[in-house]
Amino acid sequence: MILDSLLPAAASTYAGDIDRLFDVITVLVMIPFTIACFLFFSFILKFKAKDGVKALYITGTEHRYMKWIHRAHFPILTFDLIIVVMAINVWYDVKQDLPEMESEVRVIAQQWAWTFVHPGADNTMGTADDITKVNELHVSTGTLYHYKLEALDVLHNFSVPVFRLKQDAIPGRVITGWFEPTVTGEYDIQCAEICGIGHGLMPARIHISSPEAYSAWVERESAAALARAMGESKSIELAGN
Amino acid sequence: MAESIPVEENGHHAGDHRDHGHHEMSFSEKYIFPLDHKMIAMQYMFTGMFMALIGGFFAYAFRMQLAFPGIEVPGWGVVSPADYNSLVTNHGTIMIFWVAMPVLIAAFGNYLIPLMIGADDMVFPKINRLSYQVFLLSAIVILSAFFVEGGAFGGAWTAYPPLSTKAEYSLTGLGSTLWITAVFLEFVAFLLGGINFITTCMNSRAPGMKMWDIPMVVWMIVIASILFMLSVGPLLAGGIMMLFDQNLGTAFFDPDKGGDPILWQHLFWFFGHPEVYVVLLPAVGIVADVMTTFSRKKLFGYKTVLYTAIGTGVLSFTVWAHHQFIAGIDPRMANVFTVTTLLISVPIAEMMFVYIATLYGGSITLTTPMLWALAFIFEFLIGGITGIFLGASGNDIYMHDTYFVLAHFHYTFYPIAIIGTYAGFTYWFPKMFGRMMNDTLGKLHFWLTIIPFNGIFLPLFVLGAAGQHRRIYDYQNFPELALPWMQDMRQFATVMLLIMLGAQVLFFYNVITSWMSGEKAPKNPWKANSLEWTADSPPPHGNWPEGLPNCYRGPYEYSHPDREEDYWPQNEPA
Ligand code: HEM
Ligand SMILES: [Cu+2]
Ligand SMILES: [Cu+2]
């Protein structure tokens, strides 16, 4: 729809659902809005003061007048109901129901940078080949990710507009959510909760690759991470000696 | 009223209006430490307008930064990231607590309640005076933060901890303390003021004035004061906790030591959402009085308007967590708050339809106050419908904290605080100052405010839908937000702001010249019904020295078929 063209590219499995909800709400609210505006402006034009013409005396309490107001409730309640049902459905899928994961990432926010930890080639978090990156998140299409979101100091918000994803990060908590990328490309990650002086300087990028390209990247990076880890443990040993 | 209420002031009684003005008052008794509700109203009005200029200046400074990043903004200088945060924060805080509240509730409430219910003053004039003095102090405190080391607080008007409670995070130690202290004092001022509004309206009504004869604006201010009193408690508690966390090392909101930052959000929004209706209702009341007068119509369903106001007020206590959908609390709660939030659309829509219905069959004159009142309805409609987008939890996942939110709440707050105020101020100006305002200038000011207002905020809906987040001082850091068309829109909005701010000069020019040399105003220039129009313009201390009015009917008896004139003042015997 035309309205979608206002929104940025859609790159997650649920982005389309949120866009559809946006469209439906727009259409539904425009109906009473247009009617209200039409009546409003036509009354203003039609009932301009004229010499010798007195205004009508309408108390607005008789049934024959009140019914116009009461009738308006039915469409409004109906529209509300449609919007509530759709909104809760989308909400349930995106925020409440956590589908089975295929891979995971840790997202750590702090003043004023993002740290992303990716599982390495073993696809298990917390092992020596984990890949840690600052301000770049690497994911592949067609994989269902769980993110584990943390904050080290103040509130931040992990926002990926192309995914239509947004979640506050709270110090002291780990918040789990999910996403599944659908198209490749490189997009903005923004912090959407004011987090101090550097809030406007907290940009990160999400790199979405095809599964093949992603595997190649993981291969390379986790080998490097392993080598680094080995080097570190060696140097610890050496220091111990 | 049969009984008179004893007031300690000089041993007078509230009913003893004739004693007022017997002794000559000194300048300071009259203008600096007044007890007269009208003078206190003027103090609130002009302090509020002064603060609006400051809040507007802040908006000018940060909008210039957004449109022309890095330039030296005339009057401020280069806006640094720290400046940006404190400008945004204080703009929001000031506009709501030091402009909307004092002007709509305190100024109009103080001016109109005694005059419209036919009383000679508030029941507790000294508490009234104290209320303004505490308010003035709070204004001084919030502005003083700009002159202390570290600068003014920059953690947004919502002041979420831990950013707001730990100096090492916000880098504004004293600034943050001054900010929360000022907000706290301001609430105390309004608690004091509200006591007067409610008691006066309940106890000092003119003989014969029944509940249903009270003009809508008085009702609305009273309901708003009650809402305020019911909602402010948690935030006052939160304010004290915040002060303790900042300065005494407690950890109510500090997760490192077992506190919970989200607790503040509940306390803040439990107050913050009803607060929107606290400022909305007086504006809705003003619009009722202006619209009935200039369409010569009875208010369509007087009681309906009242019930919808009370309905929205009650519902407003059940929706606070829609500000916290994605704040990391139990996701199931979003379902409940989506339902309650969308339910508010029912009474609000009813209220709007009632106002539009009031125009039906009217005899409408488009005076300046009427233009403002009509603009209120139209712009507020846009604010109302865009709220649905944000109340729908699924959609808010995307919209939260974007410029769509920002545009939405400015389409509600701007009509409330600015348009509502201009409607009321231009309508009651002849009563307040005894002179007529220049209508041509007034209309010019109207169009030069309304058109740019839409020019500022309509583009912001588009930018918000495109993913532009709030409170970011320079979008050049985000490739997807730095596209040329977006920057063009930002510049357009800022140029519109410049035009709009410039147009306000016309308003102040009009006020000053009309006040000095405008045409002398009769008692009742608009042929309106309510009791304030039976007092002199301007009314002397005591309002009706020759005797308080009686009341025989409701305030909206316009164009009654049994009468030749199209109005029927409340004090005129049948
Ligand atoms: C003079 C015209 C106004 C303009 C151009 C304007 C513009 C803005 C902009 C651009 C922001 C957001 C800045 C950012 O997030 O980076 C903002 C924030 C805000 N404005 Fe206004 N505004 C105006 C009038 C008002 C009025 C009349 C009110 C309320 C009565 C108001 C209340 C707020 C609030 C509460 C915020 C949020 C502050 C925060 O994020 O902490 N504004 N305004
Ligand atoms: Cu951040
Ligand atoms: Cu941030």
Side-chain angles (χ1 to χ4, degrees), chain B residues 449-477:
Chain B
T449 302
I450 285 296
I451 296 171
F453 159 67
N454 290 286
I456 297 168
F457 290 106
L458 280 176
L460 302 191
F461 279 120
V462 178
L463 287 170
Q468 176 174 321
H469 283 130
R470 286 168 69 187
R471 299 162 177 161
I472 289 178
Y473 85 106
D474 187 351
Y475 291 95
Q476 312 307 313
N477 298 314

mmCIF file of all heavy atoms in Angstrom, chain B residues 449-477:
data_model
loop_
_atom_site.group_PDB
_atom_site.id
_atom_site.type_symbol
_atom_site.label_atom_id
_atom_site.label_comp_id
_atom_site.label_asym_id
_atom_site.label_seq_id
_atom_site.Cartn_x
_atom_site.Cartn_y
_atom_site.Cartn_z
ATOM 1 N N THR B 449 -0.059 31.784 13.228
ATOM 2 C CA THR B 449 0.305 30.783 14.221
ATOM 3 C C THR B 449 -0.151 29.401 13.772
ATOM 4 O O THR B 449 0.599 28.430 13.854
ATOM 5 C CB THR B 449 -0.331 31.123 15.584
ATOM 6 O OG1 THR B 449 0.107 32.424 15.959
ATOM 7 C CG2 THR B 449 0.091 30.126 16.654
ATOM 8 N N ILE B 450 -1.395 29.331 13.283
ATOM 9 C CA ILE B 450 -1.974 28.030 12.960
ATOM 10 C C ILE B 450 -1.328 27.386 11.739
ATOM 11 O O ILE B 450 -0.996 26.202 11.753
ATOM 12 C CB ILE B 450 -3.502 28.179 12.728
ATOM 13 C CG1 ILE B 450 -4.193 28.369 14.055
ATOM 14 C CG2 ILE B 450 -4.058 26.968 12.011
ATOM 15 C CD1 ILE B 450 -4.082 27.191 14.977
ATOM 16 N N ILE B 451 -1.125 28.161 10.678
ATOM 17 C CA ILE B 451 -0.555 27.548 9.470
ATOM 18 C C ILE B 451 0.862 27.039 9.751
ATOM 19 O O ILE B 451 1.154 25.872 9.498
ATOM 20 C CB ILE B 451 -0.625 28.525 8.276
ATOM 21 C CG1 ILE B 451 -2.098 28.799 7.954
ATOM 22 C CG2 ILE B 451 0.085 27.931 7.051
ATOM 23 C CD1 ILE B 451 -2.305 29.897 6.943
ATOM 24 N N PRO B 452 1.752 27.855 10.301
ATOM 25 C CA PRO B 452 3.077 27.313 10.606
ATOM 26 C C PRO B 452 3.041 26.170 11.626
ATOM 27 O O PRO B 452 3.853 25.251 11.528
ATOM 28 C CB PRO B 452 3.838 28.503 11.184
ATOM 29 C CG PRO B 452 3.088 29.699 10.760
ATOM 30 C CD PRO B 452 1.667 29.293 10.581
ATOM 31 N N PHE B 453 2.102 26.206 12.552
ATOM 32 C CA PHE B 453 2.033 25.095 13.509
ATOM 33 C C PHE B 453 1.901 23.763 12.769
ATOM 34 O O PHE B 453 2.624 22.807 13.029
ATOM 35 C CB PHE B 453 0.868 25.294 14.483
ATOM 36 C CG PHE B 453 0.420 24.019 15.154
ATOM 37 C CD1 PHE B 453 1.248 23.366 16.044
ATOM 38 C CD2 PHE B 453 -0.818 23.457 14.867
ATOM 39 C CE1 PHE B 453 0.856 22.170 16.639
ATOM 40 C CE2 PHE B 453 -1.217 22.265 15.443
ATOM 41 C CZ PHE B 453 -0.375 21.621 16.339
ATOM 42 N N ASN B 454 0.970 23.731 11.804
ATOM 43 C CA ASN B 454 0.830 22.495 11.030
ATOM 44 C C ASN B 454 2.060 22.243 10.176
ATOM 45 O O ASN B 454 2.447 21.096 9.960
ATOM 46 C CB ASN B 454 -0.427 22.555 10.156
ATOM 47 C CG ASN B 454 -1.691 22.493 11.006
ATOM 48 O OD1 ASN B 454 -2.036 21.448 11.515
ATOM 49 N ND2 ASN B 454 -2.351 23.624 11.192
ATOM 50 N N GLY B 455 2.671 23.323 9.715
ATOM 51 C CA GLY B 455 3.900 23.182 8.930
ATOM 52 C C GLY B 455 5.041 22.598 9.733
ATOM 53 O O GLY B 455 5.905 21.911 9.193
ATOM 54 N N ILE B 456 5.046 22.840 11.027
ATOM 55 C CA ILE B 456 6.102 22.267 11.859
ATOM 56 C C ILE B 456 5.851 20.784 12.063
ATOM 57 O O ILE B 456 6.741 19.956 11.890
ATOM 58 C CB ILE B 456 6.144 22.937 13.255
ATOM 59 C CG1 ILE B 456 6.469 24.416 13.148
ATOM 60 C CG2 ILE B 456 7.176 22.248 14.152
ATOM 61 C CD1 ILE B 456 6.248 25.192 14.442
ATOM 62 N N PHE B 457 4.628 20.440 12.445
ATOM 63 C CA PHE B 457 4.435 19.093 12.985
ATOM 64 C C PHE B 457 3.939 18.055 11.987
ATOM 65 O O PHE B 457 4.162 16.866 12.203
ATOM 66 C CB PHE B 457 3.540 19.151 14.224
ATOM 67 C CG PHE B 457 4.245 19.804 15.389
ATOM 68 C CD1 PHE B 457 3.926 21.084 15.794
ATOM 69 C CD2 PHE B 457 5.270 19.146 16.058
ATOM 70 C CE1 PHE B 457 4.598 21.701 16.852
ATOM 71 C CE2 PHE B 457 5.949 19.746 17.103
ATOM 72 C CZ PHE B 457 5.606 21.025 17.505
ATOM 73 N N LEU B 458 3.284 18.455 10.885
ATOM 74 C CA LEU B 458 2.899 17.432 9.907
ATOM 75 C C LEU B 458 4.125 16.712 9.341
ATOM 76 O O LEU B 458 4.142 15.472 9.281
ATOM 77 C CB LEU B 458 2.038 18.039 8.783
ATOM 78 C CG LEU B 458 0.561 18.245 9.132
ATOM 79 C CD1 LEU B 458 -0.180 18.930 7.984
ATOM 80 C CD2 LEU B 458 -0.140 16.930 9.483
ATOM 81 N N PRO B 459 5.190 17.431 8.957
ATOM 82 C CA PRO B 459 6.371 16.707 8.465
ATOM 83 C C PRO B 459 6.950 15.760 9.513
ATOM 84 O O PRO B 459 7.557 14.740 9.150
ATOM 85 C CB PRO B 459 7.377 17.814 8.150
ATOM 86 C CG PRO B 459 6.576 19.053 8.003
ATOM 87 C CD PRO B 459 5.359 18.884 8.858
ATOM 88 N N LEU B 460 6.738 16.083 10.773
ATOM 89 C CA LEU B 460 7.343 15.229 11.799
ATOM 90 C C LEU B 460 6.646 13.867 11.894
ATOM 91 O O LEU B 460 7.257 12.882 12.286
ATOM 92 C CB LEU B 460 7.356 15.939 13.156
ATOM 93 C CG LEU B 460 8.112 17.274 13.167
ATOM 94 C CD1 LEU B 460 8.305 17.779 14.589
ATOM 95 C CD2 LEU B 460 9.463 17.191 12.477
ATOM 96 N N PHE B 461 5.353 13.813 11.493
ATOM 97 C CA PHE B 461 4.702 12.496 11.392
ATOM 98 C C PHE B 461 5.411 11.656 10.350
ATOM 99 O O PHE B 461 5.675 10.465 10.543
ATOM 100 C CB PHE B 461 3.237 12.643 10.964
ATOM 101 C CG PHE B 461 2.299 13.006 12.074
ATOM 102 C CD1 PHE B 461 1.561 14.181 12.032
ATOM 103 C CD2 PHE B 461 2.124 12.157 13.155
ATOM 104 C CE1 PHE B 461 0.683 14.515 13.048
ATOM 105 C CE2 PHE B 461 1.237 12.479 14.174
ATOM 106 C CZ PHE B 461 0.521 13.662 14.118
ATOM 107 N N VAL B 462 5.723 12.291 9.220
ATOM 108 C CA VAL B 462 6.351 11.552 8.122
ATOM 109 C C VAL B 462 7.742 11.083 8.543
ATOM 110 O O VAL B 462 8.107 9.920 8.348
ATOM 111 C CB VAL B 462 6.431 12.460 6.873
ATOM 112 C CG1 VAL B 462 7.134 11.725 5.741
ATOM 113 C CG2 VAL B 462 5.033 12.884 6.455
ATOM 114 N N LEU B 463 8.502 11.986 9.163
ATOM 115 C CA LEU B 463 9.838 11.601 9.607
ATOM 116 C C LEU B 463 9.769 10.478 10.638
ATOM 117 O O LEU B 463 10.590 9.565 10.630
ATOM 118 C CB LEU B 463 10.566 12.811 10.193
ATOM 119 C CG LEU B 463 11.026 13.853 9.170
ATOM 120 C CD1 LEU B 463 11.507 15.114 9.862
ATOM 121 C CD2 LEU B 463 12.141 13.281 8.305
ATOM 122 N N GLY B 464 8.788 10.560 11.504
ATOM 123 C CA GLY B 464 8.647 9.522 12.521
ATOM 124 C C GLY B 464 8.310 8.182 11.906
ATOM 125 O O GLY B 464 8.887 7.154 12.263
ATOM 126 N N ALA B 465 7.394 8.184 10.952
ATOM 127 C CA ALA B 465 7.061 6.926 10.282
ATOM 128 C C ALA B 465 8.286 6.364 9.579
ATOM 129 O O ALA B 465 8.471 5.155 9.494
ATOM 130 C CB ALA B 465 5.918 7.153 9.294
ATOM 131 N N ALA B 466 9.148 7.251 9.100
ATOM 132 C CA ALA B 466 10.363 6.785 8.416
ATOM 133 C C ALA B 466 11.424 6.313 9.401
ATOM 134 O O ALA B 466 12.503 5.909 8.983
ATOM 135 C CB ALA B 466 10.917 7.894 7.532
ATOM 136 N N GLY B 467 11.139 6.378 10.675
ATOM 137 C CA GLY B 467 12.048 5.788 11.653
ATOM 138 C C GLY B 467 12.927 6.765 12.414
ATOM 139 O O GLY B 467 13.858 6.354 13.094
ATOM 140 N N GLN B 468 12.627 8.057 12.334
ATOM 141 C CA GLN B 468 13.477 9.018 13.045
ATOM 142 C C GLN B 468 13.165 9.021 14.540
ATOM 143 O O GLN B 468 12.053 9.316 14.957
ATOM 144 C CB GLN B 468 13.282 10.428 12.470
ATOM 145 C CG GLN B 468 14.055 11.477 13.235
ATOM 146 C CD GLN B 468 13.968 12.849 12.585
ATOM 147 O OE1 GLN B 468 14.003 12.985 11.376
ATOM 148 N NE2 GLN B 468 13.829 13.887 13.408
ATOM 149 N N HIS B 469 14.147 8.680 15.334
ATOM 150 C CA HIS B 469 13.938 8.643 16.775
ATOM 151 C C HIS B 469 14.083 10.007 17.411
ATOM 152 O O HIS B 469 14.641 10.924 16.832
ATOM 153 C CB HIS B 469 14.931 7.675 17.425
ATOM 154 C CG HIS B 469 14.524 6.256 17.229
ATOM 155 N ND1 HIS B 469 15.369 5.289 16.752
ATOM 156 C CD2 HIS B 469 13.335 5.651 17.429
ATOM 157 C CE1 HIS B 469 14.721 4.153 16.666
ATOM 158 N NE2 HIS B 469 13.487 4.335 17.070
ATOM 159 N N ARG B 470 13.603 10.106 18.644
ATOM 160 C CA ARG B 470 13.626 11.379 19.379
ATOM 161 C C ARG B 470 14.950 11.601 20.083
ATOM 162 O O ARG B 470 15.707 10.676 20.320
ATOM 163 C CB ARG B 470 12.562 11.350 20.479
ATOM 164 C CG ARG B 470 11.176 11.484 19.985
ATOM 165 C CD ARG B 470 10.222 11.139 21.099
ATOM 166 N NE ARG B 470 10.239 12.153 22.158
ATOM 167 C CZ ARG B 470 9.595 12.030 23.299
ATOM 168 N NH1 ARG B 470 8.910 10.940 23.544
ATOM 169 N NH2 ARG B 470 9.630 12.979 24.198
ATOM 170 N N ARG B 471 15.164 12.839 20.446
ATOM 171 C CA ARG B 471 16.221 13.233 21.372
ATOM 172 C C ARG B 471 17.614 12.927 20.831
ATOM 173 O O ARG B 471 18.519 12.614 21.582
ATOM 174 C CB ARG B 471 16.023 12.534 22.719
ATOM 175 C CG ARG B 471 14.700 12.892 23.383
ATOM 176 C CD ARG B 471 14.319 11.913 24.456
ATOM 177 N NE ARG B 471 13.088 12.298 25.133
ATOM 178 C CZ ARG B 471 12.357 11.455 25.843
ATOM 179 N NH1 ARG B 471 12.732 10.195 25.974
ATOM 180 N NH2 ARG B 471 11.265 11.879 26.431
ATOM 181 N N ILE B 472 17.743 12.986 19.509
ATOM 182 C CA ILE B 472 19.050 12.769 18.888
ATOM 183 C C ILE B 472 19.467 14.095 18.270
ATOM 184 O O ILE B 472 18.717 14.676 17.486
ATOM 185 C CB ILE B 472 18.956 11.642 17.849
ATOM 186 C CG1 ILE B 472 18.773 10.324 18.603
ATOM 187 C CG2 ILE B 472 20.194 11.625 16.963
ATOM 188 C CD1 ILE B 472 18.612 9.120 17.731
ATOM 189 N N TYR B 473 20.638 14.585 18.640
ATOM 190 C CA TYR B 473 20.933 15.974 18.287
ATOM 191 C C TYR B 473 21.454 16.128 16.884
ATOM 192 O O TYR B 473 21.469 17.224 16.353
ATOM 193 C CB TYR B 473 21.909 16.581 19.299
ATOM 194 C CG TYR B 473 23.364 16.294 18.979
ATOM 195 C CD1 TYR B 473 24.189 17.292 18.460
ATOM 196 C CD2 TYR B 473 23.888 15.027 19.190
ATOM 197 C CE1 TYR B 473 25.506 17.023 18.166
ATOM 198 C CE2 TYR B 473 25.197 14.753 18.890
ATOM 199 C CZ TYR B 473 26.008 15.750 18.377
ATOM 200 O OH TYR B 473 27.295 15.485 18.081
ATOM 201 N N ASP B 474 21.901 15.036 16.265
ATOM 202 C CA ASP B 474 22.420 15.181 14.910
ATOM 203 C C ASP B 474 22.210 13.886 14.139
ATOM 204 O O ASP B 474 22.837 12.873 14.421
ATOM 205 C CB ASP B 474 23.913 15.529 14.968
ATOM 206 C CG ASP B 474 24.441 15.863 13.575
ATOM 207 O OD1 ASP B 474 23.699 15.651 12.588
ATOM 208 O OD2 ASP B 474 25.592 16.326 13.483
ATOM 209 N N TYR B 475 21.309 13.949 13.157
ATOM 210 C CA TYR B 475 20.974 12.727 12.426
ATOM 211 C C TYR B 475 22.027 12.351 11.403
ATOM 212 O O TYR B 475 21.926 11.292 10.783
ATOM 213 C CB TYR B 475 19.575 12.862 11.812
ATOM 214 C CG TYR B 475 18.530 12.873 12.900
ATOM 215 C CD1 TYR B 475 18.035 14.071 13.409
ATOM 216 C CD2 TYR B 475 18.105 11.687 13.480
ATOM 217 C CE1 TYR B 475 17.143 14.076 14.456
ATOM 218 C CE2 TYR B 475 17.200 11.685 14.529
ATOM 219 C CZ TYR B 475 16.723 12.882 15.008
ATOM 220 O OH TYR B 475 15.841 12.884 16.047
ATOM 221 N N GLN B 476 23.047 13.193 11.224
ATOM 222 C CA GLN B 476 24.113 12.854 10.271
ATOM 223 C C GLN B 476 24.837 11.582 10.711
ATOM 224 O O GLN B 476 25.512 10.937 9.926
ATOM 225 C CB GLN B 476 25.136 13.992 10.150
ATOM 226 C CG GLN B 476 24.543 15.369 9.950
ATOM 227 C CD GLN B 476 23.573 15.440 8.785
ATOM 228 O OE1 GLN B 476 23.870 14.959 7.708
ATOM 229 N NE2 GLN B 476 22.393 16.017 9.024
ATOM 230 N N ASN B 477 24.709 11.218 11.987
ATOM 231 C CA ASN B 477 25.386 10.014 12.458
ATOM 232 C C ASN B 477 24.687 8.732 12.035
ATOM 233 O O ASN B 477 25.207 7.643 12.249
ATOM 234 C CB ASN B 477 25.483 10.029 13.982
ATOM 235 C CG ASN B 477 26.304 11.201 14.473
ATOM 236 O OD1 ASN B 477 27.373 11.461 13.947
ATOM 237 N ND2 ASN B 477 25.792 11.934 15.450
#
